[in-house]
């Protein structure tokens, strides 16, 4: 082979080697190190154990329900189903609910009168944040201005007005009724909540919380739309149901 | 004859030293380019063993194959067709063919030298 040929071949192989090295480096991913310390790992384990106990609890209740069905005679199976249906309705907010809780009142704050501009409505973002805060503090059911909040409740701005469950929010002051297992704790937490300090002060609104022995929440009164749920087709067995 | 191998090592070394990384979305192009380069290199070795080696053909083939493969896969990405796979297939088949031919030539050379 002539010298010139070898020189070109060397250059070509050098280029090839360079490309391969870059490709190799690109493909090779940096090793992700576990940088959690022992406390964080312990916390994670605790969290997972909590999940396990919750799951076991759920399995137990479901097994209980199943056992009831199996043991019950035919006519009372219907009863069991209606009972469970009521339970589920209660869970998602289709029934009236009574219990200890708090009543939050949103009213215009004092400095508004000095400015002289009436406050029209509570912005939806603010309400959503408030609801999130309430649920974070273990509220079990919420109703804003007598509109029960369920999982799919829309809170949105329509032409400058806030609509909840497709009903416009009434004029201020607005009452938010909340039922919680530990109402007093929720009350205290709402007293010191940052939301009250910052957010409502910025919007010229005042949020006051009062503890109530009994709060009555209205039921969700609109039709629930479920696009994605269908009844299960009954399975045909040869000898009928055993 | 050892100079090309040395060149390869120098290239790898330089590449590892510079610590260049290609963004993930372009790594496909680079891999196909590497494949094309390999194909051309083995083609060149085969041609050399068969005494049909031409410098110009080799160099132009090297660069044009790389560019063609990369642009083909680029076109594939924009058309939504995995032309990238077509290039991988074509180069892969050729690579194996070339290696097989090289092996046969080397084998026959070795056996003739033993007979002497």
């Amino acid at each position: 082979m002539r010298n010139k040929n070898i020189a070109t071949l060397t250059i070509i192989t050098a280029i090839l080697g360079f490309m391969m090295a870059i490709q190799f480096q690109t493909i090779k991913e940096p090793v992700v190190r576990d940088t959690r310390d022992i406390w964080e790992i312990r916390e994670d384990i605790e969290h997972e154990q909590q999940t396990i106990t919750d799951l076991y609890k759920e399995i137990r209740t479901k097994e209980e329900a199943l056992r009831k069905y199996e043991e019950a005679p035919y006519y009372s199976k219907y009863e069991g189903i209606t009972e469970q249906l009521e339970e589920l309705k209660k869970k998602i907010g289709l029934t009236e609910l009574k219990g200890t809780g708090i009543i939050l009142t949103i009213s215009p704050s004092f400095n508004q009168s000095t400015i002289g501009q009436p406050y029209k409505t509570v912005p939806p973002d603010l309400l959503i944040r408030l609801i999130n805060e309430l649920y974070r503090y273990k509220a079990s059911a919420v109703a804003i201005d007598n509109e029960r909040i369920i999982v799919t409740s829309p809170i949105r701005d329509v032409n400058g007005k806030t609509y909840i469950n497709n009903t416009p929010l009434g004029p201020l002051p607005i009452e938010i009724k909340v039922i919680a297992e530990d109402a007093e704790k929720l009350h205290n937490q709402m007293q010191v909540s940052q939301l009250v300090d910052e957010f409502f002060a910025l919007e010229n609104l005042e949020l006051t919380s009062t503890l109530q022995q009994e709060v009555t929440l209205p039921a969700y009164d609109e039709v629930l739309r479920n696009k994605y749920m269908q009844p299960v087709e009954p399975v045909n067995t040869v000898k009928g149901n055993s | 004859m050892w100079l090309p191998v040395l060149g390869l090592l120098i290239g790898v070394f330089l590449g590892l030293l510079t610590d260049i990384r290609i963004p993930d979305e372009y790594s496909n192009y680079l891999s196909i380019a590497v494949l094309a380069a390999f194909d051309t290199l083995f083609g060149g070795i085969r041609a050399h063993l068969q005494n049909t080696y031409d410098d110009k053909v080799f160099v132009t083939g090297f660069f044009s194959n790389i560019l063609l493969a990369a642009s083909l896969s680029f076109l594939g990405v924009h058309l939504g067709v995995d032309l990238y796979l077509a290039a991988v297939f074509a180069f892969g088949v050729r690579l194996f063919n070339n290696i097989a031919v090289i092996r046969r030539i080397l084998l026959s050379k070795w056996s003739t030298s033993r007979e002497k």
Side-chain angles (χ1 to χ4, degrees), chain A residues 185-194 196-197 208-210:
Chain A
K185 197 176 170 193
L186 180 66
H187 175 66
N188 290 339
Q189 266 160 338
M190 285 319 290
Q191 297 266 316
V192 295
S193 170
Q194 247 190 343
V196 186
D197 292 348
T208 46
S209 167
T210 44

Side-chain angles (χ1 to χ4, degrees), chain A residues 8-31:
Chain A
T8 48
L9 200 63
T10 309
I11 292 169
I12 294 287
T13 48
I15 294 172
L16 179 66
F18 189 67
M19 278 161 60
M20 267 167 58
I22 291 175
Q23 176 73 1
F24 179 69
Q25 267 177 346
T26 310
I27 296 294
K28 190 180 63 182
E29 282 182 9
V31 187

Side-chain angles (χ1 to χ4, degrees), chain A residues 207-219:
Chain A
L207 185 75
T208 46
S209 167
T210 44
L211 195 60
Q212 297 277 322
Q213 274 310 309
E214 189 172 276
V215 188
T216 312
L217 263 57

Side-chain angles (χ1 to χ4, degrees), chain B residues 3-96:
Chain B
L3 216 56
V5 179
L6 191 72
L8 186 73
L9 287 179
I10 288 172
V12 170
F13 218 71
L14 277 179
L16 287 178
L17 280 180
T18 47
D19 200 36
I20 298 174
R21 265 160 222 257
I22 302 274
D24 258 1
E25 56 266 37
Y26 299 133
S27 73
N28 262 357
Y29 300 126
L30 188 62
S31 62
I32 199 86
V34 169
L35 201 62
F38 259 118
D39 171 61
T40 319
L41 188 69
F42 280 103
I45 293 171
R46 192 196 66 173
H48 170 66
L49 291 173
Q50 289 175 330
N51 291 323
T52 53
Y53 180 81
D54 185 359
D55 214 14
K56 283 185 195 111
V57 173
F58 179 65
V59 175
T60 53
F62 183 79
F63 288 110
S64 69
N65 269 355
I66 289 175
L67 288 178
L68 204 70
S71 49
L72 201 67
S73 48
F74 175 76
L75 190 71
V77 167
H78 283 264
L79 288 180
V81 186
D82 280 344
L83 280 180
Y84 157 76
L85 290 176
V88 168
F89 179 73
F91 285 127
V93 167
R94 269 178 52 170
L95 204 61
F96 276 105

Side-chain angles (χ1 to χ4, degrees), chain A residues 98-150:
Chain A
K98 278 183 189 172
T100 54
I102 57 172
I103 291 182
L104 297 167
T105 317
I106 301 178
S107 49
S109 66
F110 286 114
N111 18 349
Q112 186 186 303
S113 54
T114 55
I115 300 167
Q117 194 180 29
Y119 199 93
K120 277 171 192 152
T121 180
V122 189
D125 313 348
L126 196 62
L127 282 177
I128 290 168
R129 243 188 96 169
L130 178 64
I131 290 169
N132 284 342
E133 187 105 346
L134 285 171
Y135 282 129
R136 197 179 308 142
Y137 293 144
K138 307 259 163 61
S140 53
V142 180
I144 299 179
D145 199 23
N146 277 330
E147 283 296 334
R148 181 72 173 270
I149 302 297
I150 63 164

